Amino acid sequence: MIFQDNVIKEYLKNVYFFTGTPCGGKTTISRELAKRHNLLVYDIDEQFENHQKISNAMYQPAMNKVFKDADEFFGRTVEEYKQWLIDNTREQLDFVLLDLIRLSQNQIVLCDCHMTVEQADILTEPSRVVFLIKEPSNLVDDYCNRPDHQGFRDFINSASDAEKAKAVCSATLKSLNEKSYEFIKNSDYFWLERTENSTVDDTVRKVEQHLGLTKKVFNMDSLEMKKVDRNSELVDKLLDFVAHFSWEDVKEHTLRMIHNWEFTDWETMFVAMVDGQIVGMTSIMKTDYYPLPEIYPWISSVFVSEGYRGHRISEKLIDYANEYAKANGFDRTYIPSEHVGLYEKYGYRYIQDIVNYGNGTDRLYVKELK
């Protein structure tokens, strides 16, 4: 099956790609941005083993090539080693794209990846790509000295001639990246070069500006949580907010529910407001996208506008909804998610995996209301 480029671009519109040359800083910067803005990082290197397990040697031969030891791995010629790296990246790309489409439908995802300018032209837009580069010489020393690359350092040092192995690796990385390095610098894409004077804070600030991730400056005392009542002034404001937000997967459904007020009994929606404008929302429901009528109430549709993320507004919305649930006689609430480590920060604990109506598997979280 072949998908046209415009289709791929549309489904990846919530993905920001961090690419470039080795040791350019893409891992450091993407993770610092994720921490500051409460975003998800998808690292393709971390996913390689998972993709390898579901790959097929007929269709992904490079991903399934086995080396008996470091001597065999680094004993190849520079051209053989370079082609193997290129083939691995190409074969893994299908798995990566499908993961990103699934993960990014209702949230921004920062993808730490290996993408060329040519691939960026096909898969995304210049406004969603950051090229972080470093002059491609002696890359192997920088690579091996990183704490998160201890496994690779141990592997290369296990070669019978470790210095020769490092020389082959360094020559391969230089050959693979020196043309890309110059091509990136002469392209119209946003790029930053890492030097001895580069700092994380300065680089993050520049990347934030490029991606439009700069936070809105506002007084936290002006932040209000409100329950939305039927036929109230807030209904019209909420309809306008949903009509213009970026969560396309739920937009049509949510607009219909609010417009027709398809809420019964204690079901309702809540909003976070700054200076009279809605900046976030959530809801409390009897059912969610799961055939589990015995489980309720669900905290659902948690969303905060991009410019207001990083201020823990999602947590405040969930807390407000939980206070409402407690006032209505409930001693617990449930949240479904495909992520690990997010809702645990808000006091939820994992119970079990659940299957939704689309036959996908999510994680079910519960919080006891004290």
Side-chain angles (χ1 to χ4, degrees):
M1 182 177 292
I2 298 174
F3 295 98
Q4 297 299 320
D5 298 347
N6 65 308
V7 176
I8 298 293
K9 284 186 178 181
E10 175 64 21
Y11 277 89
L12 295 177
K13 64 185 177 182
N14 285 335
V15 179
Y16 294 148
F17 293 93
F18 288 72
T19 183
T21 61
C23 305
K26 59 185 185 293
T27 297
T28 299
I29 301 305
S30 61
R31 279 156 180 74
E32 181 61 25
L33 268 174
K35 183 173 69 174
R36 295 187 185 191
H37 296 273
N38 196 27
L39 299 174
L40 174 68
V41 173
Y42 178 89
D43 186 331
I44 69 167
D45 289 339
E46 291 179 353
Q47 296 299 321
F48 184 82
E49 186 174 336
N50 294 330
H51 294 155
Q52 188 180 47
K53 289 177 182 177
I54 58 176
S55 66
N56 186 304
M58 180 181 297
Y59 302 110
Q60 292 88 29
M63 291 179 66
N64 286 275
K65 187 171 179 59
V66 177
F67 301 90
K68 63 181 181 182
D69 54 26
D71 286 338
E72 183 178 356
F73 187 90
F74 296 105
R76 294 171 286 177
T77 66
V78 168
E79 282 304 312
E80 289 173 335
Y81 190 178
K82 182 173 75 170
Q83 189 59 51
W84 176 78
L85 290 172
I86 292 172
D87 290 342
N88 261 290
T89 301
R90 175 180 50 79
E91 292 173 4
Q92 191 187 6
L93 183 60
D94 289 345
F95 299 102
V96 170
L97 292 179
L98 290 174
D99 282 351
L100 290 173
I101 288 172
R102 174 176 57 85
L103 291 170
S104 68
Q105 289 313 291
N106 60 7
Q107 65 180 330
I108 290 175
V109 176
L110 309 182
C111 180
D112 178 350
C113 63
H114 317 295
M115 176 185 283
T116 64
V117 167
E118 294 88 348
Q119 288 172 324
D121 289 338
I122 295 171
L123 299 174
T124 188
E125 302 290 347
S127 61
R128 299 198 290 266
V129 184
V130 175
F131 282 93
L132 298 171
I133 61 176
K134 184 179 185 295
E135 199 279 319
S137 60
N138 300 319
L139 290 175
V140 70
D141 290 331
D142 289 342
Y143 193 85
C144 288
N145 288 335
R146 285 172 44 174
D148 56 330
H149 290 163
Q150 181 178 347
F152 183 82
R153 180 172 66 247
D154 292 344
F155 180 60
I156 201 169
N157 284 325
S158 71
S160 55
D161 188 341
E163 292 308 311
K164 181 179 178 181
K166 289 179 181 179
V168 170
C169 186
S170 185
T172 301
L173 292 177
K174 183 174 182 179
S175 175
L176 186 63
N177 289 283
E178 58 186 351
K179 288 184 180 179
S180 296
Y181 171 79
E182 294 299 335
F183 195 31
I184 291 166
K185 295 183 75 169
N186 290 302
S187 74
D188 293 328
Y189 282 93
F190 175 84
W191 59 269
L192 294 171
E193 182 165 14
R194 184 177 185 177
T195 68
E196 59 182 13
N197 297 318
S198 298
T199 66
V200 171
D201 283 343
D202 185 54
T203 303
V204 166
R205 179 181 57 80
K206 291 174 180 176
V207 171
E208 283 177 327
Q209 290 175 345
H210 168 65
L211 297 177
L213 287 176
T214 49
K215 296 180 184 178
K216 298 285 186 181
V217 178
F218 68 97
N219 188 337
M220 286 297 289
D221 291 338
S222 67
L223 179 66
E224 296 181 275
M225 303 294 151
K226 291 188 177 181
K227 173 178 172 287
V228 180
D229 294 317
R230 185 175 191 175
N231 299 323
S232 68
E233 174 186 344
L234 274 181
V235 171
D236 290 336
K237 285 192 173 185
L238 183 54
L239 284 169
D240 183 68
F241 175 74
V242 174
H244 293 93
F245 71 19
S246 60
W247 193 358
E248 296 294 337
D249 271 6
V250 307
K251 181 176 291 187
E252 184 178 346
H253 171 71
T254 306
L255 284 172
R256 189 195 72 240
M257 286 193 66
I258 300 169
H259 186 268
N260 298 328
W261 201 254
E262 299 175 7
F263 303 99
T264 62
D265 299 331
W266 41 264
E267 291 182 311
T268 191
M269 298 196 70
F270 310 95
V271 294
M273 304 188 72
V274 173
D275 297 327
Q277 299 299 313
I278 296 176
V279 301
M281 70 173 198
T282 191
S283 64
I284 185 167
M285 307 292 294
K286 292 180 180 178
T287 61
D288 208 323
Y289 189 49
Y290 306 87
L292 298 167
E294 72 280 5
I295 292 178
Y296 63 90
W298 300 83
I299 304 298
S300 184
S301 303
V302 182
F303 178 84
V304 174
S305 294
E306 284 81 355
Y308 288 88
R309 293 175 184 174
H311 298 285
R312 303 187 74 99
I313 295 177
S314 292
E315 181 179 13
K316 292 176 173 63
L317 277 164
I318 292 170
D319 286 346
Y320 191 78
N322 278 329
E323 287 299 320
Y324 173 85
K326 186 176 179 181
N328 279 269
F330 296 106
D331 58 8
R332 66 191 64 186
T333 59
Y334 300 88
I335 291 181
S337 177
E338 58 188 18
H339 304 305
V340 177
L342 176 58
Y343 291 107
E344 289 90 333
K345 294 186 294 185
Y346 304 157
Y348 282 82
R349 61 179 175 84
Y350 166 76
I351 306 176
Q352 64 189 56
D353 284 353
I354 54 176
V355 178
N356 59 41
Y357 285 114
N359 207 33
T361 301
D362 293 312
R363 296 168 62 85
L364 179 63
Y365 292 88
V366 66
K367 181 174 183 176
E368 310 295 335
L369 305 180
K370 300 178 181 179

